[in-house]
Amino acid sequence: MAKFLDSISKETRKFPPKESFKKKAHIKSFAEYKKLYNESIKNPDTFWAKQAEQLDWFKKWDKVSSWNKSKLECKWFEGGKINISYNCLDRHLKERGDKPAIIWESNDGKSKVYTYKKLHKEVCKFANVLKKRGIKKGDRICFYMPMVPELAIGILACVRLGAIHSVVFGGFSPQSLQDRIDDSKAKILVTSNVNLHGKKIIPMKEAIDAVLLKCKSLKYVLVNKRKNVATSMKKGRDLWLQDELKAKDIENTCEPAKLNSEDPAFILYTSGTTGKPKGVVHTTAGYLMYTYLTFKYVFDYREEDVYWCTADIGWVTGHSYIVYGPLANGATSVMFEGIPTYPNPDRFWEIVEKYKVSIFYTAPTAIRAIARFGDEWVKKHDLSSLRLLGSVGEPINPDAWLWYHKVIGRNKCPIVDTWWQTETGGILVTPLPGAVDLKPGSACFPFFGVKTNIYKENGKPAKANEGGFIVVEKPWPGMLRTVYKNPDRFRKTYFSQFKGGIYFAGDGAKKDKEGYIWILGRIDDVVNVSGHRLGTSEIESALVSYKDVSEAAVVPYPHKIKGDALYAFVTLKKGLKGSDELVQILRKHVAKEIGPIAKPDKIQFAEGVPKTRSGKIMRRILKAIAEGKEDVGNTTTLANPEVVETLKKERV
Ligand code: PRX
């Protein structure tokens, strides 16, 4: 019988942190990490009670944690009273009132700085607008916005009142928005008249006007005026956000609600790469605790840092690591409206230089896209302010890691490859940068309090280097509490694969002999070649390790003998062209790197591959193309549906 998931990668390189980095780090050695980690697992309540002292409480908790496995009810800091916005704003006013909390870089290169004082005031005003429009604790507010400061301000205003925000990524279709408004029965939608994106001015409000008429739950639509352009406003329902904020009766202060630890903070819909979206529910104290602590340790945060996470607040990364984690720590967080390639492919580095960013957190898709344009774009800029880099969202191919390390990090910045999910609230597996010798492509070790394991299909732990499912054996404070109004889906998706309250993440992974965790990709994407079940990420990484390749996606297609044959879509570095000769070179290269079994049977060169709006490769569609299907399924969730026809035409 084939093992569940075979691992074939031979990656062995190691990158220890520099002594100078270690010396100043919160956690200075592996032994120190291990000691704290062991304590956090052995006595979780003692560990978390101590950490929770770093937050500001209106009333301390009675019980640190409880876990009812049969009801799947998990609670943290029960009996406590707390407010997320108070912890992100008010508590910093005395010492950091004039420190920038958010530095906003607009699409066209202008900056706007919100100090803690100013942000506090804006959040209070926004909260007062919501109150004036009848919003109470527990009401749902939907946001469908570009990356503008009003989005961060708006969600902080919600948690100030105990209203539940549901942010829908601004690039989603009107229908997706309607589904999410209907599911959560949102009373208010906050949106923008337009979204500025590179050279484009994308109408936002106009695009959704038709579906908004069908959203029965909506009482008001608050419209942010991003640009002074004609915008149709429905009388009685649509209100200009700026007018509302300016109104005479809107005060500059607003008492933060004393919320219960387990009061819901927000819903965030996730569809992964398949299926109907799930409303992932996060609650107040545990989520705040978890994002606060992961931000502090994973990014080894220091008071003088300028931190930039390039994600969109429409995704969990933006929630946890643009807004809540950084602000709870009193950090300066850069927020960017535009796109990495506008006006040129060096926009990221221009911003790093402009604000002297010291911590930079992005996604492999962005790294690969930028690397494709060549090093010259990077070299134009002084990146000496950078001291730490991060990656999130997909497995990072070792070669993309090495490029990031060398060209962006100038061989001195550690890279934290952080594995987590919308459902996990914050980072679960990651190196702590002063404590761990890095291995390119490995997310390394579990964070404090996170008891991960790799299981085989039968629920037994996998041996070293044996692939399996990554699971978490005990709840952690940032864990999702349920799927909104669908506890059954919560149970089925996350807790039915293994018995006994084991969280099933849906990712394949392996642990090597030294305990390093390697994420092998989504279980849905596993391919079965001659009885070996392979995660796609290792084969893709082997392709990307060839000098001409910038991105690769591998999918199966049926083969009489092997079960699955491998079909690879390969994007070359800018300016290069594919050829039959290169196909042969790449096949040989993969055979040499990881073995003949992983040799792609077919290789198609592609300018681009279909991706979700958060930048993940959509292998489901590539699979349909590889299988020769005309109907490749639903493409409305793609960021770049236009590539599909080309890929179909150029099928090999
Ligand atoms: O497959 C894993 C991949 O992204 C999934 C979670 O996606 P989402 O809920 O959109 O959250 C993204 C931001 C946390 C995971 O199940 N993933 C995320 N980070 C990594 C990763 N795969 C490999 N390595 C990572 N560092």
Side-chain angles (χ1 to χ4, degrees), residues 343-389:
N344 288 305
D346 60 344
R347 184 69 187 273
F348 276 3
W349 322 123
E350 201 179 280
I351 296 174
V352 167
E353 187 174 6
K354 179 169 172 188
Y355 301 119
K356 300 203 167 32
V357 171
S358 57
I359 306 172
F360 178 74
Y361 191 32
T362 196
T365 180
I367 299 167
R368 292 187 301 250
I370 294 170
R372 219 184 144 204
F373 286 97
D375 300 359
E376 311 79 65
W377 288 105
V378 186
K379 291 197 175 128
K380 284 182 170 175
H381 297 279
D382 175 8
L383 302 186
S384 59
S385 57
L386 286 174
R387 64 177 197 89
L388 179 66
L389 304 174

Side-chain angles (χ1 to χ4, degrees), residues 117-135:
K117 252 190 226 154
K118 181 169 173 186
L119 188 61
H120 175 262
K121 186 171 123 192
E122 294 303 322
V123 169
C124 287
K125 277 166 45 188
F126 203 123
N128 287 330
V129 167
L130 295 176
K131 268 207 297 212
K132 179 174 162 186
R133 295 294 164 191
I135 292 304

Side-chain angles (χ1 to χ4, degrees), residues 29-40:
S29 67
F30 191 69
E32 200 183 328
Y33 154 75
K34 206 64 203 169
K35 184 167 172 280
L36 251 180
Y37 177 75
N38 288 341
E39 279 172 26
S40 76

Side-chain angles (χ1 to χ4, degrees), residues 270 316-317 391-395 417-423 505 507 519 522 614 616:
T270 174
V316 74
T317 310
S391 168
V392 60
E394 279 183 297
D417 176 0
T418 61
W419 175 80
W420 59 295
Q421 307 176 298
T422 306
E423 293 86 341
D507 280 339
I519 306 294
R522 297 294 297 164
S614 64
K616 293 188 211 295

Side-chain angles (χ1 to χ4, degrees), residues 75-90:
K75 292 185 179 154
W76 285 86
F77 307 110
E78 245 185 303
K81 297 266 185 199
I82 194 164
N83 184 287
I84 293 181
S85 108
Y86 183 90
N87 275 274
C88 289
L89 301 167
D90 307 51

Side-chain angles (χ1 to χ4, degrees), residues 209-472:
D209 271 336
V211 298
L212 292 187
L213 294 174
K214 295 188 245 163
C215 296
K216 302 249 163 32
S217 61
L218 281 185
K219 300 268 179 305
Y220 296 106
V221 178
L222 295 176
V223 187
N224 174 55
K225 193 180 276 177
R226 178 64 189 95
K227 221 175 156 49
N228 206 355
V229 293
T231 308
S232 75
M233 299 288 275
K234 186 170 183 286
K235 227 175 154 206
R237 187 198 67 185
D238 300 351
L239 307 162
W240 286 110
L241 177 62
Q242 278 75 11
D243 292 348
E244 289 287 293
L245 290 166
K246 266 195 313 225
K248 282 214 183 69
D249 55 348
I250 294 300
E251 289 178 15
N252 288 344
T253 56
C254 169
E255 266 306 293
K258 296 185 171 61
L259 300 174
N260 300 312
S261 292
E262 282 298 333
D263 281 337
F266 65 86
I267 305 169
L268 187 53
Y269 287 88
T270 174
S271 46
T273 45
T274 48
K276 180 178 175 282
K278 303 178 279 283
V280 167
V281 176
H282 284 290
T283 56
T284 300
Y287 174 79
L288 175 66
M289 174 80 266
Y290 200 69
T291 48
Y292 167 85
L293 204 72
T294 45
F295 180 79
K296 175 175 166 179
Y297 284 119
V298 176
F299 299 107
D300 193 42
Y301 170 67
R302 288 189 226 138
E303 188 67 41
E304 65 276 16
D305 277 317
V306 176
Y307 163 88
W308 181 23
C309 164
T310 70
D312 191 293
I313 296 178
W315 312 119
V316 74
T317 310
H319 283 58
S320 300
Y321 299 112
I322 294 178
V323 183
Y324 296 123
L327 299 184
N329 278 276
T332 296
S333 180
V334 175
M335 178 175 172
F336 175 43
E337 180 185 35
I339 54 174
T341 48
Y342 176 80
N344 288 305
D346 60 344
R347 184 69 187 273
F348 276 3
W349 322 123
E350 201 179 280
I351 296 174
V352 167
E353 187 174 6
K354 179 169 172 188
Y355 301 119
K356 300 203 167 32
V357 171
S358 57
I359 306 172
F360 178 74
Y361 191 32
T362 196
T365 180
I367 299 167
R368 292 187 301 250
I370 294 170
R372 219 184 144 204
F373 286 97
D375 300 359
E376 311 79 65
W377 288 105
V378 186
K379 291 197 175 128
K380 284 182 170 175
H381 297 279
D382 175 8
L383 302 186
S384 59
S385 57
L386 286 174
R387 64 177 197 89
L388 179 66
L389 304 174
S391 168
V392 60
E394 279 183 297
I396 177 163
N397 315 114
D399 273 71
W401 192 104
L402 291 165
W403 182 86
Y404 196 27
H405 189 254
K406 182 170 153 223
V407 182
I408 308 303
R410 299 148 354 268
N411 293 316
K412 68 166 203 186
C413 303
I415 298 176
V416 287
D417 176 0
T418 61
W419 175 80
W420 59 295
Q421 307 176 298
T422 306
E423 293 86 341
T424 70
I427 295 162
L428 291 191
V429 179
T430 176
L432 295 186
V436 171
D437 292 357
L438 304 169
K439 295 187 184 180
S442 167
C444 298
F445 298 99
F447 188 71
F448 301 132
V450 178
K451 197 160 181 278
T452 49
N453 211 337
I454 316 289
Y455 283 6
K456 292 191 289 192
E457 235 160 353
N458 60 10
K460 298 243 162 68
K463 293 195 203 87
N465 283 325
E466 200 174 45
F469 304 97
I470 185 160
V471 299
V472 192

